[in-house]
Amino acid sequence: MERESMEYDVVIVGAGPSGLSAAIRLKQLCTESGKDVSVCIVEKGSEVGAHILSGAVLEPRALNELIPDWKEKGAPLNTPAADDRFMFLTENRAFKLPTPPQMNNHGNYIVSLGNVCRWLGEQAEALGVEIYPGFAAAEVLYDENGAVRGVATGDMGVGKDGEKTANYTQGVELHAKITLFAEGCRGSLSKGLFQKFELRKECDPQTFGIGIKELWEIDPEKHQPGLVWHSIGWPMDSGTYGGSFLYHLEGNQMAVGFVIGLDYQNPYLSPFDEFQRFKLHPAVKPFFEGARRISYGARALNEGGFQSIPKLTFPGGALIGCTAGFLNVPKIKGTHTAMKSGMLAAETAFEALTQEGAGNGIELTAYPEALKASWVWQELRGVRNIRPAFHNGMWAGLVYSAIDTYLLRGKAPWTFRNHADHPQLKKASECTPIDYPKPDGKITFDKLSSVFISNTNHEENQPAHLTLRDQTVPIEVNLALYDAPEQRYCPAGVYEIVRDDDGSNPRLQINAQNCVHCKTCDIKDPSQNINWVVPEGGGGPNYPNM
């Protein structure tokens, strides 16, 4: 059956900071020029902001450029960063370190990025952008010449057996002259584009971290609006990259989180349990006494930076935001760079679309050139060596970072290389199991109770969106060699080894309904056997104020 189709000048996949910024900038240019460009955003979350997860301290540089009067328009930037603290933790003590210049947050704001995106969505719709939340872009469409022609949303109402149910609704094709992919870190469609157009041929492998976050309502006497608190050290060993954040927002709320580089080596490591253990540190635990946990979530993030940026364009489309990887790791910020990439893509797209005779299959060759001439490129190039310096351990990374920042000022004549994460995992026989404390239900929790407060929901009668390329690998490779690390690296309890009553017949059970769409499994699986594809639109977490 032929699918229904809709025609636009620009289709944007993903209503995150970059996608919304691109849409707003396109419509601003229409207003300024008197010309019209039709713009549509398709978003897999149930609403704009539902799948957005970040710390987050927002540097408003790109927002100032995009919407200079954002304060008058009620942007939810309510808590200016007031006090930076950078701590080194041992198991029982905390030492204050000098705050690196990249982590100076004067002029920045502690925000809920989900709420910022909700507000950006309102600005976009007011300008005439069509936004369709609850529809997952499941397929890239190509024309007869192999150029991207748009995307198709996934079919709804398909049962686990692959057959149509009574609720079946066919997906819709969204045709566009230019398609901008703003899927966020490890986008499922972007992976296919990387392969088809060899976009990663001339860059380093991307390297990732997993960020796990909780939102708490804390005792007003312990609340310090504007406090930005980061730590390194315990509970990580010196060979594992990771660190924490505590951000005090308005309304007695505190965001707490932990980020661990996904190039960690010990298959027994559980990022979720490391995060829970961190909250028990003597310098941290007092914040949680008399407090109430409100929400939970997790998301992978790009850490490769400058040398892992792929080719950004191809016939008919371009990559923007975190799907390409513009996170400034030392600064612990990527929203401002993601937004700016979307704005630059929009400007070059508008220029191309308004040329006489503009047709399909346009390649925005001016977009990467504009990016290279912007502050985004300068910013990322200057810190390119800091994250890979930590491949040699925390102490080597700290020493090099100080030299690079204060003496070389980001102008070293060399560039350190990045490595892929999944090959770094050692065999279980080479590592020591980690004994994590049991959750107390007050400060520390288990995965399932955490997933519950992420408001995660998937229609149960649908094909699993966590697919295996080879059904034998989980037992014959992952369990045999690595003691099934997917049971631990997943922060949502999706993967479980189950056995018969006598302990025989081990098999992998995938609890796909628990998935919070963090993409860690797609990244960290040692055999790259797990392939994350989109579930039905509207499924997944529904993050409030995250």
Side-chain angles (χ1 to χ4, degrees), residues 84 98-106 108 330-331 333 401-402 405-406 409:
D84 283 307
T99 301
Q102 299 96 338
M103 296 171 69
N104 181 340
N105 285 293
H106 178 74
N108 298 333
K331 191 179 274 192
K333 293 173 185 63
S401 297
T405 300
Y406 293 104
R409 300 187 180 276

Side-chain angles (χ1 to χ4, degrees), residues 417-469:
R417 309 324 311 182
N418 289 323
H419 55 219
D421 293 324
H422 66 277
Q424 310 307 317
L425 204 64
K426 291 183 176 180
K427 304 286 193 335
S429 60
E430 301 173 41
C431 299
T432 302
I434 302 172
D435 183 24
Y436 292 108
K438 291 184 178 180
D440 60 22
K442 296 178 182 178
I443 296 176
T444 60
F445 301 89
D446 61 19
K447 289 181 180 179
L448 294 185
S449 65
S450 300
V451 171
F452 179 77
I453 62 168
S454 72
N455 302 307
T456 294
N457 183 58
H458 294 89
E459 170 59 49
E460 289 200 27
N461 186 23
Q462 65 172 301
H465 66 282
L466 300 156
T467 62
L468 302 177
R469 294 183 171 93

Side-chain angles (χ1 to χ4, degrees), residues 12 33 40 48 69 81-82 88 92 96 121 129 161 181 229-230 252 271 290 317 329 352 425 463 479 482 518 533:
I12 300 171
S33 67
C40 158
V48 174
D69 58 345
F88 170 69
N92 295 304
K96 188 173 182 180
V129 177
D161 57 5
F181 292 85
W229 194 100
H230 293 105
N252 298 322
V329 175
L425 204 64
L479 179 61
Y482 303 98
C518 75
V533 298

Side-chain angles (χ1 to χ4, degrees), residues 64-341:
N64 290 338
E65 295 179 12
L66 181 66
I67 307 175
D69 58 345
W70 55 264
K71 288 184 180 179
E72 291 76 10
K73 290 185 174 178
L77 280 66
N78 303 318
T79 308
D83 182 9
D84 283 307
R85 299 182 198 172
F86 183 47
M87 312 296 292
F88 170 69
L89 303 185
T90 64
E91 187 169 355
N92 295 304
R93 300 184 66 186
F95 301 90
K96 188 173 182 180
L97 300 177
T99 301
Q102 299 96 338
M103 296 171 69
N104 181 340
N105 285 293
H106 178 74
N108 298 333
Y109 294 82
I110 303 173
V111 302
S112 157
L113 191 59
N115 288 342
V116 171
C117 286
R118 290 178 177 96
W119 178 81
L120 286 171
E122 293 169 1
Q123 309 312 303
E125 288 184 317
L127 291 168
V129 177
E130 296 179 29
I131 304 178
Y132 298 110
F135 291 91
E139 177 187 353
V140 179
L141 304 175
Y142 299 95
D143 66 15
E144 63 277 6
N145 297 316
V148 171
R149 182 71 178 92
V151 296
T153 63
D155 294 346
M156 309 279 277
V158 177
K160 283 185 176 180
D161 57 5
E163 298 297 320
K164 299 173 184 176
T165 69
N167 299 320
Y168 176 76
T169 305
Q170 192 176 36
V172 176
E173 294 190 358
L174 301 170
H175 296 164
K177 293 177 180 176
I178 295 172
T179 306
L180 300 179
F181 292 85
E183 296 181 286
C185 177
R186 195 71 167 195
S188 53
L189 297 185
S190 300
K191 285 193 304 177
L193 295 169
F194 288 152
Q195 293 180 344
K196 180 176 177 62
F197 296 108
E198 297 185 314
L199 302 179
R200 303 207 63 88
K201 188 176 180 180
E202 297 182 4
C203 68
D204 283 7
Q206 186 58 267
T207 187
F208 302 87
I210 176 174
I212 304 176
K213 176 183 175 182
E214 294 173 348
L215 187 65
W216 286 70
E217 184 178 357
I218 66 172
D219 183 340
E221 293 186 2
K222 297 178 181 179
H223 186 237
Q224 303 172 48
L227 174 62
V228 177
W229 194 100
H230 293 105
S231 78
I232 57 171
W234 189 90
M236 296 291 91
D237 62 49
S238 63
T240 303
Y241 186 81
S244 78
F245 63 85
L246 292 167
Y247 301 153
H248 287 229
L249 300 92
E250 66 273 15
N252 298 322
Q253 291 192 344
M254 179 180 72
V256 54
F258 210 89
V259 177
I260 295 178
L262 285 176
D263 58 351
Y264 69 80
Q265 297 182 339
N266 187 343
Y268 294 110
L269 187 148
S270 164
F272 175 89
D273 293 297
E274 295 290 350
F275 171 44
Q276 299 304 313
R277 182 163 64 161
F278 157 76
K279 290 184 290 180
L280 299 176
H281 190 277
V284 178
K285 186 177 179 180
F287 283 117
F288 299 98
E289 293 168 351
R292 179 175 69 93
R293 191 172 70 146
I294 300 170
S295 191
Y296 166 84
R299 189 69 173 95
L301 50 140
N302 300 295
E303 292 186 342
F306 180 80
Q307 50 269 60
S308 293
I309 297 172
K311 184 175 185 289
L312 297 170
T313 65
F314 39 87
L319 307 173
I320 61 175
C322 286
T323 209
F326 296 116
L327 176 71
N328 182 329
V329 175
K331 191 179 274 192
I332 322 178
K333 293 173 185 63
T335 301
H336 64 302
T337 49
M339 290 178 67
K340 183 64 173 178
S341 73

